Amino acid sequence: MRLLPLALVLSILGFSCTSGSNATGSSDANDTVHVDPFLVPGFVPDANPETDEDTPSALNQARVVRYVSTDNPAPAPRAIVIAMPGFLGGGPSFDGLARSIVGQSAEDGFPVEVWAIDRRSNGLEDLKGMNAAESAEDPEIAWNYYFGGGEVDGATFAGYVPQEDVSYMSEWGLETHLEDLRAVLDLIPEAQQKGHVFLAGHSFGATLVELYAAWRFAADDKRGFDQIAGMIFLDGLMGDTPTDEETFVPGLADIRGSDRYTTLPLLGIDVYTSAEIVSLRTWFDPSGIVDDPVRDTTFEILFGLGPGEMPEATNVATLGLAFDSMHQPLSFSRTTLGTLTGGPTEDFTFVIACDDVLQRPSDPDATYDWIDAFDSDPEEFTPARNLARSFTIGESNFAEWYFPQRISLDAGAAQGGNVDEAGWQVAYGIRAFDGELNDAPALCILARNADRCEVLRTRLAPTIGAGRPQAGATRDSDLGVTAIEAVGMAHLDLILSDERADANQVPNAVRSFLETHTAPGTITVPTL
């Protein structure tokens, strides 16, 4: 069996080694923004040729998490940002940034909407327990449903979806996901797309944004970059590790045969469910202390602790330990949430954390608590409530429990967006032909090493194309590629923090980019 190793998956997705409780002390940001989700019928992929299993029709759709002004009626937007989440991410992962962009843009008289994508794989998740717990404001309903055999509306949790039950996921590659994305974009009148619609991608989502722009759609030969006003890359760029045919073919055979979605080594799918329950607890009772053996086992794995060595912690401190950059071993799951308090810590390293020196609680008899981001010294970026809300509040969730292996395999074979039109990739639906012709402007914001944005100046078309507000601007100018280093931010801060963080450059940079590259007029938004 040739299951894609996590190191290869992360390489394809663009990750590398260089990349008293106060949780309720700050009010929630942007109460002038509300979420209005909707579903969009999507692509119908082929059946798995090994099992002849088609994708169920209910899964041939994307959920869009729409962030819009609460003004009634909402003003016609000047721009719409369609946001693609990263590896293991859902639409609400953009919650902090989306609320900031929409709220501040409305105040500035330049109304914007953000449409964050839930990939079709999110439709496989059983969120019954989470939704019931949120409705009742009782997180333990969720814990009992997923881990204790409890019932919700007469039903018990059937378990996580087995690999063998989703053989159709083998065909959920680039073609499927980019066609789904086009179905969302095509809700906007064609004449308004190039002047007003921006694609934003976080982490691996940035790869999908650039590949969409390079894509030539089979149905009408339409080029992706001709449908968009600009691209926004948030702590992610397309990887430079192309997969050859000799690697691709056996990898696809394994995906079609058995390994349809990615699971994290050691942690499995339980870790997403547990994180969502911890987030619910933080939202409703940040200073509470809960006995949770499932959660503690996860911490013992991450921190290298023995059985029973995980100390007590408040709910918000538990969330902080799970995601703060001083404690979380996995770089793609890090935020800067604040500071652990209430007991001592010690240094440790984790085997797949690139030798980062982190901190873990070291007194099993202490009770740990958390100083929230805006109350820390120095101030950090993401309040715990922002993270908690993105994981659990609303009809969807931050996490993607079943990330399709095929999408990362295809991305590795896309040759940096310049597939030969007669290349072997075309037989597998990979039509990223036009990367070098992409004439859309780009905003590139990286948490560190922003000089990596320079690659965009040479791999895209040399000037901004005709018919765009900044037509003729060269790639070596800020109008062609705007590159920003988000100093001090961790990977998830770029999408979870908000404009209240004094040092957060991201919302203002995005709004400025939109205003600079949006054509005159507004968008006719259909009834959704």
Side-chain angles (χ1 to χ4, degrees):
M1 182 174 68
R2 294 184 180 85
L3 174 64
L4 288 177
L6 183 64
L8 176 58
V9 171
L10 297 184
S11 176
I12 292 170
L13 304 188
F15 294 113
S16 69
C17 297
T18 61
S19 51
S21 178
N22 295 318
T24 57
S26 300
S27 62
D28 294 330
N30 295 313
D31 292 333
T32 61
V33 178
H34 77 274
V35 179
D36 186 16
F38 61 93
L39 297 172
V40 181
F43 184 65
V44 179
D46 292 337
N48 180 318
E50 301 297 323
T51 66
D52 203 33
E53 186 177 16
D54 285 306
T55 298
S57 59
L59 295 174
N60 284 329
Q61 59 186 359
R63 181 191 300 273
V64 178
V65 184
R66 181 190 183 197
Y67 292 86
V68 63
S69 170
T70 55
D71 290 352
N72 190 14
R78 291 287 313 279
I80 291 177
V81 178
I82 300 179
M84 179 63 72
F87 177 52
L88 305 178
S93 63
F94 285 95
D95 192 83
L97 177 59
R99 290 176 184 273
S100 292
I101 294 171
V102 174
Q104 290 297 304
S105 297
E107 291 182 14
D108 295 344
F110 187 91
V112 173
E113 293 187 10
V114 174
W115 295 4
I117 302 295
D118 254 358
R119 286 185 285 267
R120 58 174 54 209
S121 45
N122 291 88
L124 289 165
E125 298 166 10
D126 176 1
L127 299 181
K128 185 186 295 290
M130 301 300 177
N131 294 336
E134 180 185 345
S135 178
E137 300 187 6
D138 181 359
E140 303 324 303
I141 291 175
W143 195 96
N144 288 326
Y145 180 74
Y146 295 104
F147 300 120
E151 292 187 358
V152 170
D153 295 333
T156 57
F157 182 50
Y160 301 107
V161 178
Q163 297 270 11
E164 58 268 22
D165 287 357
V166 288
S167 69
Y168 49 80
M169 284 184 73
S170 68
E171 310 312 298
W172 291 7
L174 276 180
E175 181 180 31
T176 296
H177 287 88
L178 297 186
E179 290 281 3
D180 283 353
L181 180 53
R182 179 170 180 181
V184 174
L185 196 148
D186 278 347
L187 294 173
I188 298 159
E190 182 177 2
Q192 298 172 357
Q193 292 171 355
K194 188 173 180 178
H196 299 273
V197 179
F198 294 78
L199 294 186
H202 175 249
S203 192
F204 177 58
T207 294
L208 296 181
V209 165
E210 193 168 351
L211 288 174
Y212 185 95
W215 206 259
R216 198 181 309 163
F217 290 90
D220 56 8
D221 255 5
K222 186 98 174 190
R223 301 180 302 187
F225 66 82
D226 284 329
Q227 299 174 286
I228 59 173
M231 303 171 293
I232 300 168
F233 303 115
L234 300 168
D235 216 30
L237 287 168
M238 186 163 49
D240 56 359
T241 54
T243 302
D244 57 27
E245 188 173 10
E246 290 70 26
T247 302
F248 181 91
V249 171
L252 179 56
D254 286 333
I255 292 171
R256 285 174 168 169
S258 59
D259 302 305
R260 287 79 189 223
Y261 58 79
T262 300
T263 57
L264 292 175
L266 304 178
L267 301 175
I269 301 175
D270 274 353
V271 69
Y272 315 135
T273 318
S274 188
E276 292 179 26
I277 293 169
V278 168
S279 295
L280 280 169
R281 290 169 178 158
T282 299
W283 185 264
F284 291 117
D285 186 16
S287 60
I289 297 173
V290 179
D291 180 30
D292 184 344
V294 176
R295 173 203 64 197
D296 290 351
T297 296
T298 299
F299 277 125
E300 288 161 3
I301 293 170
L302 288 174
F303 293 160
L305 299 174
E309 292 184 356
M310 181 63 194
E312 282 190 343
T314 62
N315 291 326
V316 65
T318 302
L319 189 69
L321 285 166
F323 288 95
D324 186 76
S325 59
M326 293 298 295
H327 310 287
Q328 167 56 251
L330 302 177
S331 62
F332 59 84
S333 296
R334 291 178 182 166
T335 57
T336 61
L337 287 170
T339 306
L340 189 67
T341 187
T345 62
E346 62 186 6
D347 292 345
F348 81 104
T349 58
F350 188 65
V351 64
I352 60 173
C354 302
D355 298 323
D356 290 347
V357 177
L358 303 166
Q359 293 181 351
R360 64 187 178 193
S362 58
D363 184 354
D365 297 320
T367 298
Y368 288 82
D369 202 358
W370 195 256
I371 300 172
D372 205 36
F374 293 166
D375 298 306
S376 292
D377 186 15
E379 180 184 273
E380 294 196 334
F381 287 99
T382 299
R385 282 181 68 82
N386 281 24
L387 177 60
R389 179 177 55 205
S390 74
F391 255 102
T392 58
I393 304 305
E395 296 181 20
S396 187
N397 56 341
F398 178 106
E400 181 180 25
W401 299 2
Y402 307 103
F403 179 82
Q405 291 240 57
R406 176 68 182 273
I407 192 173
S408 53
L409 182 70
D410 281 4
Q415 296 294 322
N418 291 293
V419 170
D420 190 304
E421 291 182 46
W424 62 267
Q425 296 94 331
V426 178
Y428 302 97
I430 301 173
R431 298 176 56 85
F433 299 146
D434 298 321
E436 292 178 346
L437 302 178
N438 178 0
D439 65 5
L443 169 63
C444 177
I445 308 178
L446 303 182
R448 56 187 58 82
N449 300 327
D451 56 348
R452 290 183 292 138
C453 297
E454 296 301 306
V455 69
L456 296 171
R457 302 190 192 277
T458 56
R459 77 181 181 204
L460 303 175
T463 59
I464 303 306
R468 301 184 184 278
Q470 305 302 329
T474 59
R475 289 293 180 190
D476 59 2
S477 70
D478 284 343
L479 290 173
V481 175
T482 305
I484 295 173
E485 185 162 323
V487 178
M489 282 189 152
H491 188 57
L492 297 180
D493 286 328
L494 279 77
I495 51 175
L496 289 175
S497 187
D498 58 58
E499 77 284 350
R500 294 173 299 161
D502 292 338
N504 184 3
Q505 307 171 67
V506 179
N508 284 338
V510 172
R511 292 200 306 273
S512 177
F513 182 76
L514 299 179
E515 292 181 18
T516 299
H517 295 286
T518 297
T522 58
I523 298 174
T524 306
V525 179
T527 301
L528 301 171

